[in-house]
Amino acid sequence: MPGGRDENALVAGSGMRVGFMAVCVLGGLLLAGCGERKEQAAGVEEPEATVRSLTEDSDRFDGLLTVFVDRDDGTVRALIRPDQFDRELIYVSTFQDAPVAAGLGRGWGSKNAILVLRRHFGRVDFVQPNTAFYFDPDNALSRAADANISPAVLASAEILAEDDSDGVLVDLGPVLLNESFTQIKPSPDPEAEDEPAFDLGALSETKTRFASVASYPKNSEFVVEYVFENPAPVVPGGDEITDLRYVTVRLQHSFIEAPDEGYSSRRYDPRVGYFVNRVTDLTSTAAAPWRDVIQRWRLQKKDPAAELSEPVEPIVFWIENTTPEEFRDTVAAAALGWNQAFEQAGFENAIEVKVQPDAAGWDAGDIRYNVLRWTSSPTPAFAGMANWQWDPRTGEILGADIMLEYSYMTRRMRLGPAYEITADRTPTKAGLAFCSLGARRQLDNLFANAALKGPGAGPGDDPELFRQTLMELVQHEVGHVLGLSHNFIASQLYDSVALYGGAADTGGDVTASVMEYASINLKPDGGGNGLYYQTRPGVYDRWAIEYGYSRASPDPEAEEARLDEILTRSSERGLRFGNDGDDMRSPGAGIDPRIMIEDLASDAIRYSADRMQLIRNLTGDLVQTYARQGQSWQELVAAYKGIRAQWTNMVVTVTRYVGGVRVDRSVQGQPGARDPYRPVPVAEQRQAMAVLAEQLFAADAFDAPEALYRHLQTQRRDFDFYGKTEDPKIHEQAL
């Protein structure tokens, strides 16, 4: 109980005193003595609880918050100093371990918000203010800035003790051992299909507990194990869940010191792809009263006058000691490759890379360390996942981690019966950004191995293919933590003739950006030219970094003119932008066929037709190619999955040109600007229909040697086929 008082003991003690008085009265001779004892008992008061008395049996952790962990019962208390009230902190929550079936996973960020601690008499309220609006302080309306805008009181804790000099002590159990700060169990989707979904169940109050506590100078970290109970589960969750009735989710709560002043925000512009903090100006009369700012690091030149200068503080990435040693050099080279882009912004050695020693005294929970981390999960939902923390007021990025998944460097597949990428269909918490580049690269590599090398060709058997795969994946995820979103029009930089020619015709690039999901580059005969993937920041990436990180002019008007000069180049070849909000990966989404995933070349219809013909040529020899004495046909199945997924990608790419509309987001008067919407030229639409008629709708479109379909047998594992058929579902693929 608060203050360490046991009210049940007090009630029992009162009963004992009443009984003792009765005995004294009946005894007669001891009446006076009993009265004296009663008077003394009534005058004794239990001492008031103090910070010291409540924490003397606790381990102390000094840092942003002073945290005490009771050695007897594990109670976690925090001391809040007087200067920490009514002062803005940053709250971030990140999943440390969770089942993918629930739409969660290690490294996935969940919440990033401003937090204010406010005292209300004997309680401390944890309040999340609303940062989505701006009021000009010189406008009289700013006096009503809080009108009809609701802050969120996330939790309220009773003050257990108070010390005038040190602050107040609160129990963090009622604050964090529930879903007050971060919702873990997803809300039901009202538009979901009728099929039942995996259900975590109800949160257990008795089993949920703190797993670890740490406090650093700029952040305090609390990892909580949330145990959910579902006594009658219906939907299985995968082998990684030991017992479906009891599921554990580990979530890290981070309280971060708000950064010092001195950071200057940079405005967002729809012509260049950065993640954004959305802010609406409620005192503006503009048609688009938005003061959105991009998310980026605080990077300042040591020598502001120099054209090229090292930063005052570089962005340092640590390769976690979980990283396979044979990967480390490639991972480091990939991250350092972004220095090429920063040179266009005026920085030299903007990024540094170090390797975490095995005996390091720090871990990835310390926000002072930006870590490239590796896992090998039973049911991975991604190959790479970028997670970063930022200031919701300014967009300043404060720290970052990148999760990389070893299983996507192997041939262990996650494909449904029709060989679609299940990672794209993995349920995720609402609003969670998702990156499936690695899943697509795994399929591309399977296809490339079938085209280039034949049996036994895994990623590790072609060192250059594997190196480029890893380089692109790491650079892509590093690009995210630098603030860049996807750019799915970057694959349109070169035509198919130039791409088939290789580095001599493209200058060493495949696309305009490593933030793409482009198809693997192979020649029509199935050969390679050394350029499989984009392995360095492209022309778009360098331009985007220039916009986001080049040094600002101290004069506001001159700065606006400088930024406009950079942005007017957006209509140039290779600098166009379109991200997940524009792409046409799903039917009914997007309108511009150039903003597409798994395509390649400015003449993507021709390139796709060439690839489909290559696939036809490969299919006829697959059984003979993968016939290996004493082996199952699992390797053939994996190769076929890669080939089939590649064919599907090409067909889908071509369909998007029929009825497509090209989008231009240039501003009025910008050089090279076109009408915002232009239909795809009729000649291209007819070309697309001709390819579909030949490759998709023709009577022989799905013809293959009979021997191939008869050998597509997945290697049996125990009772995997129980209750269902094991045939390769060729008709389902076609549909």
Side-chain angles (χ1 to χ4, degrees), residues 154-231:
L154 303 179
S156 182
E158 183 179 2
I159 295 175
L160 305 179
E162 181 171 2
D163 187 306
D164 291 338
S165 59
D166 292 337
V168 301
L169 191 71
V170 297
D171 185 353
L172 292 183
V175 176
L176 296 180
L177 297 182
N178 48 51
E179 296 183 72
S180 297
F181 271 70
T182 296
Q183 180 180 350
I184 299 172
K185 183 177 179 179
S187 300
D189 184 356
E191 299 180 359
E193 299 178 359
D194 294 335
E195 295 183 6
F198 178 79
D199 186 3
L200 283 172
L203 183 64
S204 170
E205 295 183 5
T206 57
K207 296 179 181 178
T208 297
R209 62 200 59 185
F210 287 97
S212 66
V213 171
S215 200
Y216 307 101
K218 294 186 177 182
N219 61 306
S220 295
E221 307 291 340
F222 305 89
V223 177
V224 177
E225 286 187 352
Y226 296 90
V227 178
F228 291 85
E229 297 180 332
N230 185 352

Side-chain angles (χ1 to χ4, degrees), residues 437-496:
L437 175 65
R440 300 178 180 282
R441 283 297 169 256
Q442 187 183 37
L443 288 171
D444 285 337
N445 286 342
L446 284 171
F447 169 70
N449 286 323
L452 295 170
K453 298 195 69 174
D461 294 317
D462 187 334
E464 182 56 23
L465 176 62
F466 178 72
R467 185 192 71 83
Q468 291 190 26
T469 301
L470 186 55
M471 281 284 291
E472 185 193 39
L473 175 63
V474 174
Q475 282 195 343
H476 184 99
E477 300 305 332
V478 170
H480 280 322
V481 302
L482 295 176
L484 297 179
S485 63
H486 292 136
N487 185 6
F488 292 140
I489 199 173
S491 57
Q492 300 267 327
L493 181 61
Y494 296 108
D495 63 23
S496 55

Side-chain angles (χ1 to χ4, degrees), residues 42 96-97 100 143 156 278 381 556 602 690:
Q96 293 299 307
D97 284 297
V100 174
R143 298 186 179 93
S156 182
R278 295 161 64 112
S602 56

Side-chain angles (χ1 to χ4, degrees), residues 35 78 97 99 441 468 500 567 685 700:
D97 284 297
R441 283 297 169 256
Q468 291 190 26
Y500 296 151
L567 290 166
Q685 298 195 49
D700 63 349

Side-chain angles (χ1 to χ4, degrees), residues 23 55 125 131 135-136 162 246 289 320 404 412 484-485 525 565 593-594 662 673 678 699 734:
V23 172
T55 61
D125 292 339
T131 59
F135 284 80
D136 182 348
E162 181 171 2
Y246 312 106
E320 193 177 45
L404 299 162
R412 178 158 62 91
L484 297 179
S485 63
D525 62 2
E565 184 178 357
R594 301 171 302 172
R662 291 178 177 173
R678 291 174 295 126

